[in-house]
Amino acid sequence: MKISREKIVNALKKAWNNFPKVSHGTLLTFSSLLIIFVLALSVRLLPLRWGMSLSEFDPFLQYRFTEKIVKEGYFSWLDWRDYNRWYPWGAYVPKTNLPGLPLTAATFYIIISFMGVNIALKDFCIIFPAVMGAVTCIAMYFLGKEIGGKTVGLISAFILALSPTYITRTSLGFFDDESVGVLAIILFFLFFLRSIDEKRPANSSMVYGALAGLSLGYLCLSWGASLYPIGIVTLFALIMIILRRYSQRLLVTYSLTFGIGLFIASSFPRPGIEFLTSWPILLAGGVFLLLCLSEIVRRVRTTEWKIIYIVAFLAALIGGFSVLSYLGYMGSIAGKFISVINPFAREGSPLVMSVQEHHMTSWSSLYYEFGITIIFMMLGFFFAAGNLTNK
């Protein structure tokens, strides 16, 4: 059978017409994201010229934790006392180390080994933070897009890709909590914002609320800095109540997110059940009760009953916190968190000042870190103030 040139051309045209159409905008966005990903990964791989090695001390602890999981199983660390640390008693790892990063790295290593990729675990752990840093820039695009569209998303991803501080914490060999912690924070904010979006159907909102809860739980297991995003979302919900922008969807999302996230966090030895009695979590619980009160007041018709409910609720809330504090169930706020509110508090604590990263940040460091993005910040505040939305 003779195949003519015309038949081949017609077959190719038919295949092209049936191929899904991709707009120029989509193609340009995909190309930009690919360039940002390659740029972010390349910058973080630059220490390769000095060789493949783990940097600092904490990455070695994380590597040993990951090695324990890979060799002996996912639950082998739950009763592990590491006698190579804190001689002579050793360190009880379930209470001294967060398991998020080692569990993540061990899972990915097992997957790629099953797929036939032959790489030493140590080399994998050295490369891991650089890859995760580049992946986080892609997640940052979706967060920026959710708030201000594709342009904002691309600029956000590009800025994060070249952020000096973030590069130092996700560069080759820096196998520590930040490599997965920042990604978890971005996913937490992204899913939470999507969940409270009134334009989305209720089913979609529930799904995104559950994803936000899973992201929060993963964050709590991965990084001690989880208290910062928890505080931001708690403050956000409180401001929504004060500005009378409360909605039933906010109550459902807040409940679902913190319910799932705190259940995951308290189910592991660390953060553990005591995490629920820390000040930031108790404040989050207090704001949850305020959201419940807002829903009750919204449904009550008479002014008299609204006043009764509000007074009774505030009395019960203040009394509850007082009783918990008196009985000693409320833990104190760590010094490094107090110093965020009052930077001068650092100077009064020799223990806090003994850690270099807890020192007062100089103006030159701030300028070095933010650079030209300071201009974007000022413009961003200006435009945000002129177009206030929940996001």
Side-chain angles (χ1 to χ4, degrees), residues 12 17 24 45 151 204 217 258 283 292 312 318 343 363 385:
L12 291 174
N17 291 331
H24 290 287
L45 290 177
T151 304
S204 175
F258 279 92
L283 291 175
C292 294
I318 295 172
W363 285 106

Side-chain angles (χ1 to χ4, degrees), residues 350-366:
L351 181 62
V352 173
M353 290 298 289
S354 67
V355 182
Q356 178 64 32
E357 63 190 43
H358 293 165
H359 280 223
M360 183 86 76
T361 303
S362 64
W363 285 106
S364 60
S365 297
L366 289 174

Side-chain angles (χ1 to χ4, degrees), residues 50-62:
W50 291 294
M52 293 278 288
S53 61
L54 291 167
S55 58
E56 305 295 340
F57 297 108
D58 288 348
F60 280 93
L61 298 179
Q62 301 285 10

Side-chain angles (χ1 to χ4, degrees), residues 10 13 18 55 73-74 79 87 92 104 148 156 162 174 182 207 221 244 293 308 339 366 371-373 379 388:
N10 290 334
K13 284 183 178 180
N18 292 330
S55 58
Y74 278 99
D79 59 350
Y87 178 84
Y92 186 57
T104 304
S156 302
L162 298 180
F174 201 91
V182 177
V207 171
L221 296 179
R244 297 183 178 180
L293 177 64
I308 291 172
S339 65
L366 289 174
I372 196 172
T373 57
L379 291 174
L388 289 177

Side-chain angles (χ1 to χ4, degrees), residues 14 22 34 42 66 118 120 165 187 193 265 268 284 344 347:
K14 187 177 180 180
V22 180
L34 183 60
S42 301
T66 307
N118 187 18
T165 298
L187 292 177
L193 289 178
F268 283 74
F344 297 99
E347 299 178 0

Side-chain angles (χ1 to χ4, degrees), residues 142-149 189-200 208 232 236 240 245 249-250 384 387-391:
F142 288 101
L143 178 59
K145 179 186 174 184
E146 183 69 22
I147 296 174
F189 287 156
L190 172 63
F191 293 139
F192 187 85
L193 289 178
R194 287 187 175 182
S195 183
I196 64 172
D197 189 354
E198 297 288 345
K199 297 179 182 178
R200 297 183 183 275
Y208 282 120
I232 289 174
F236 164 77
M240 293 283 280
R245 303 184 76 148
R249 181 166 298 203
L250 176 62
N387 184 30
L388 289 177
T389 64
N390 291 347
K391 294 179 181 180

Side-chain angles (χ1 to χ4, degrees), residues 110-179:
I110 292 170
I111 291 173
I112 67 167
S113 298
F114 178 77
M115 295 171 62
V117 178
N118 187 18
I119 181 174
L121 177 60
K122 188 174 183 181
D123 292 339
F124 174 82
C125 293
I126 292 170
I127 298 172
F128 182 83
V131 176
M132 293 303 293
V135 170
T136 303
C137 295
I138 304 301
M140 191 67 186
Y141 161 76
F142 288 101
L143 178 59
K145 179 186 174 184
E146 183 69 22
I147 296 174
K150 289 184 178 180
T151 304
V152 173
L154 289 173
I155 294 175
S156 302
F158 179 72
I159 290 174
L160 185 63
L162 298 180
S163 168
T165 298
Y166 190 54
I167 289 174
T168 61
R169 292 290 172 167
T170 53
S171 61
L172 190 81
F174 201 91
F175 185 60
D176 208 359
D177 296 331
E178 292 88 341
S179 57

